Amino acid sequence: MSEASPAKAYGLHLGVIALLFVLSFLLPEYYHGLLARIMVLAVFATGYNMLFGYVGLLSLGHAMFFAAGLYGAGLAVIHLGWNVPAAFAAGIACGAVLSLAIGLLALRTTGVAFMIVTMMFAQVSYLIILYFATWTGGDQGMVVPQPARILTFGATSLDLTNPTVRYMTALALFSIVLLVTLAIVRSRYGRVLVAIRENEERTKMLGYDTFSNKLAAVVVSGTICAASGAAYALLFGYVGSSFASVQYSILPLLWVLLGGAATTLGPLIGTLFMYYVIDVSSGYTSAYLLIVGVALILLVLFFPKGILGSIRQRWLEWLP
Amino acid sequence: MHFGPHLLLAALEGLVTSAVLALTALGLSLVFGVMRVVNVAHGEFFMLGAVLAWAITTAIGGHPALGFLAALVIAPLIVGAIALVAERLVLRRLNYNPEATIVATIGMLYIIQQLALTFYGPEARPVEPPFSYRILLPWFGYSGYKLSVIATSALLLIATWLVLTRTRIGLVMRSTQYDSETAQAFGIPVGRVYAGVFALGAMLAAIAAVLIVPISQAHYLMGQDPLLLSFIVVIIGGLGSLRGTVVAAVLIGMSDGIISMFFSPTLAKIIATLLVAMVLVFRPQGLFGTASR
């Protein structure tokens, strides 16, 4: 990867954000709503990419971090009556604490064992959600009532159920996360993460504490995923156990692989592409799992680097 | 019923679970051990076995034993053939890279599940047991078929053990597992061994599924639980250890049977999954495995 000038990289990312902003005024209603959802889920994928793409740790348990944010925010609103910012903060805090605990345990293992351990912890949290059905709504889930989703700053109030406000909030969250990950990836710390991915032994030999660097990456990744979950609960008003299932741990892996692992914009492109493929194909068939399955196999066979990863390899070497 | 007979019933039910689990997990363990491939689609091969068993018994009709025996032979063969094709078309091309194969088998999982839903449908369908003899114990009558499942599974496990330890095929498999490059250098067709092991693993899952179908019905989502439980068994038992797999399967099956009879099944699963995750965290080589290479 050759070095890019900061202006070029930040310019590209700000351009993408500006494009998403302009699209808000151009898109028809249906796609407007879809894109808002995609941006929130792209945050989830970005958090996943942080760990999978840049550190090379394949986790199959990230649904639990998304669910930590989702339920952290949702339960705070429904049972404690907290306002939107407090609930959002609660969701993020749940994700941060959970990812710290899981990271401390799961990082004792590597490779395939890490994948299975994260999947098991995620399964435990899924079962816990089902077990405490009185508070979590079990597999029915819960709806966050509309009046609880209004943000008030003194005299002005923002209704998160309003499509425009929802889109802009999703865009704001996505932009912050995108720029933060870009900064992390380009920092010294980001270099250490890539070094761990490429050769952990050598990185250790160079004097870096690889365990605490990886732990920090798990926490950053888990916190970003939790932010996505918390935003999902508050913006779309639904909190459900299906978001904690194994399938929801696999989806971000698919999005990241499709867009290009270890590229900052890959998660957005992957999420966008997959959603549109499913959206278009569901017009013809209800068998969308088949498409997901075939896409996964074709990707891993022919495009192991994903869309943006292949573009970077062939043409734009400076992509971050 | 008193506590004693109650416990006996729970133990018998647990043993049936253990028997089926041991077969399923053995397939996963072989693939995992020899090829270093985590087959996430293993549960779907299990499901496919059950669904095919339903299709075959319905197609044949007549006495239930006739259809059942046909299913016991044909379903695993079909599943094995499908696994063989998948191995040749996908896994070999990925050069058995651990992470790529995980993603690819996740893809297979989705494809098989969707095809089952499309062609078989969402409903659960029963298969009649080949015989409905009840064995009378002093406290309750118990299904003779369930006991025969335990016996069949035990026989198959012993047969697998004999093949692995006493025959040339077993020797070839073990040498590939131990060091595939050296095995290749000594003229062992490693590619063909891998294909065979992958098909064999899928067939073991399919046999287990045919055995369980008369007890629990065929459903297109039935592969998820055995997959997770098999992972648990393989991990607790230690990679590629047959003895460990059997002991772990009995342990998990019995505790699942007994805990879920006296407590909530969800709570039992939470505790079991958490315990196993902790085993993996603090003893990554499993209870019976040797230190990883």
Side-chain angles (χ1 to χ4, degrees):
Chain A
M1 212 183 338
S2 65
E3 196 43 49
S5 67
K8 219 168 168 183
Y10 281 98
L12 174 73
H13 288 73
L14 290 174
V16 170
I17 292 168
L19 177 69
L20 287 168
F21 180 75
V22 173
L23 276 176
S24 168
F25 304 102
L26 303 176
L27 284 173
E29 197 183 338
Y30 173 70
Y31 287 104
H32 188 267
L34 192 61
L35 193 56
R37 198 174 292 254
I38 288 173
M39 283 191 291
V40 171
L41 292 175
V43 171
F44 183 25
T46 307
Y48 189 82
N49 190 27
M50 199 64 219
L51 197 63
F52 172 67
Y54 289 98
V55 197
L57 285 169
L58 200 166
S59 145
L60 281 184
H62 264 54
M64 86 182 126
F65 300 134
F66 185 84
L70 191 77
Y71 278 90
L75 295 178
V77 168
I78 294 170
H79 293 301
L80 305 175
W82 289 13
N83 61 11
V84 170
F88 188 67
I92 291 183
C94 287
V97 171
L98 182 67
S99 53
L100 182 66
I102 298 291
L104 277 172
L105 289 170
L107 282 176
R108 296 173 55 103
T109 63
T110 51
V112 169
F114 180 80
M115 178 203 101
I116 294 175
V117 165
T118 48
M119 185 165 89
M120 283 182 168
F121 282 129
Q123 186 68 11
V124 169
S125 23
Y126 176 63
L127 290 170
I128 286 176
I129 291 171
L130 293 185
Y131 187 69
F132 292 102
T134 346
W135 293 284
T136 61
D139 51 7
Q140 299 284 314
M142 296 175 300
V143 172
V144 184
Q146 195 258 347
R149 287 155 59 200
I150 294 174
L151 193 59
T152 38
F153 296 109
T156 54
S157 68
L158 283 173
D159 184 355
L160 293 183
T161 53
N162 172 307
T164 314
V165 175
R166 184 151 68 186
Y167 188 97
M168 288 306 164
T169 316
L171 177 61
L173 175 70
F174 175 74
S175 312
I176 293 168
V177 168
L178 183 67
L179 294 175
V180 166
T181 46
L182 180 63
I184 291 178
V185 167
R186 293 178 56 89
S187 68
R188 262 176 67 87
Y189 170 63
R191 300 299 167 77
V192 177
L193 293 186
V194 173
I196 291 174
R197 180 187 74 196
E198 295 302 324
N199 192 335
E200 180 162 358
E201 282 307 308
R202 191 175 290 177
T203 316
K204 210 181 266 176
M205 224 165 64
L206 287 171
Y208 290 100
D209 180 355
T210 54
F211 183 85
S212 50
N213 277 304
K214 285 197 287 186
L215 184 62
V218 172
V219 173
V220 170
S221 169
T223 309
I224 293 176
C225 293
S228 165
Y232 197 96
L234 296 169
L235 290 179
F236 301 102
Y238 177 68
V239 173
S241 61
S242 61
F243 289 111
S245 63
V246 176
Q247 180 155 342
Y248 239 78
S249 290
I250 292 173
L251 283 177
L253 168 67
L254 171 68
W255 296 331
V256 168
L257 277 174
L258 184 58
T263 59
T264 42
L265 286 169
L268 174 70
I269 293 182
T271 316
L272 200 66
F273 191 82
M274 205 61 220
Y275 251 85
Y276 274 87
V277 167
I278 290 173
D279 198 56
V280 171
S281 63
S282 60
Y284 303 98
T285 165
S286 59
Y288 91 93
L289 275 184
L290 187 69
I291 295 160
V292 174
V294 172
L296 274 176
I297 291 181
L298 290 181
L299 271 173
V300 78
L301 274 179
F302 302 108
F303 301 98
K305 288 184 189 305
I307 297 172
L308 217 54
S310 304
I311 291 177
R312 171 166 71 191
Q313 196 179 26
R314 294 202 190 130
W315 300 294
L316 303 173
E317 283 199 354
W318 54 271
L319 275 180
Chain B
M1 224 166 18
H2 292 292
F3 180 75
H6 212 106
L7 191 66
L8 179 65
L9 182 63
L12 280 174
E13 291 291 316
L15 261 186
V16 176
T17 315
S18 310
V20 174
L21 195 53
L23 280 181
T24 319
L26 181 62
L28 195 69
S29 178
L30 278 179
V31 171
F32 206 177
V34 176
M35 304 167 70
R36 301 273 138 191
V37 164
V38 180
N39 180 15
V40 187
H42 196 65
E44 301 320 298
F45 289 136
F46 179 87
M47 177 271 286
L48 217 50
V51 166
L52 284 171
W54 175 83
I56 293 166
T57 46
T58 338
I60 288 183
H63 192 271
L66 207 66
F68 182 81
L69 283 179
L72 199 53
V73 177
I74 301 173
L77 285 178
I78 299 178
V79 172
I82 294 172
L84 203 64
V85 171
E87 201 273 346
R88 294 281 90 165
L89 283 182
V90 180
L91 297 188
R92 184 170 60 163
R93 291 188 192 204
L94 293 172
N95 231 347
Y96 308 105
N97 169 317
E99 284 183 358
T101 48
I102 287 171
V103 178
T105 49
I106 291 174
M108 286 181 205
L109 180 159
Y110 283 149
I111 294 174
I112 298 175
Q113 208 172 78
Q114 182 68 58
L115 290 178
L117 177 63
T118 308
F119 293 104
Y120 172 79
E123 57 281 316
R125 292 172 187 172
V127 169
E128 231 180 300
F131 54 88
S132 50
Y133 181 72
R134 284 187 86 73
I135 292 173
L136 284 176
L137 300 175
W139 311 276
F140 51 82
Y142 196 71
S143 155
Y145 175 71
K146 286 189 182 176
L147 291 177
S148 78
V149 167
I150 300 173
T152 315
S153 166
L155 281 178
L156 281 169
L157 289 171
I158 292 170
T160 316
W161 179 74
L162 286 176
V163 169
L164 279 178
T165 52
R166 298 280 188 275
T167 65
R168 220 189 109 71
I169 303 172
L171 188 67
V172 164
M173 268 167 68
R174 278 181 293 142
S175 67
T176 313
Q177 167 167 11
Y178 192 72
D179 186 340
S180 61
E181 275 176 29
T182 312
Q184 181 109 47
F186 274 90
I188 289 173
V190 170
R192 259 193 284 163
V193 175
Y194 279 179
V197 166
F198 195 72
L200 180 68
M203 284 165 77
L204 282 169
I207 294 173
V210 177
L211 289 176
I212 198 76
V213 163
I215 300 170
S216 77
Q217 304 199 332
H219 185 255
Y220 83 104
L221 286 177
M222 71 190 289
Q224 296 304 304
D225 271 3
L227 175 69
L228 214 67
L229 281 176
S230 303
F231 268 143
I232 293 176
V233 167
V234 169
I235 289 158
I236 292 203
L239 264 182
S241 154
L242 186 80
R243 183 184 53 149
T245 304
V246 174
V247 172
V250 172
L251 207 69
I252 296 285
M254 295 289 273
S255 54
D256 189 63
I258 292 170
I259 297 178
S260 33
M261 186 153 284
F262 295 107
F263 301 95
S264 138
T266 314
L267 190 62
K269 266 192 211 158
I270 292 176
I271 295 169
T273 316
L274 206 55
L275 281 179
V276 173
M278 290 305 175
V279 168
L280 189 52
V281 166
F282 292 104
R283 206 183 141 74
Q285 70 273 34
L287 294 179
F288 291 86
T290 43
S292 57
R293 280 176 287 127

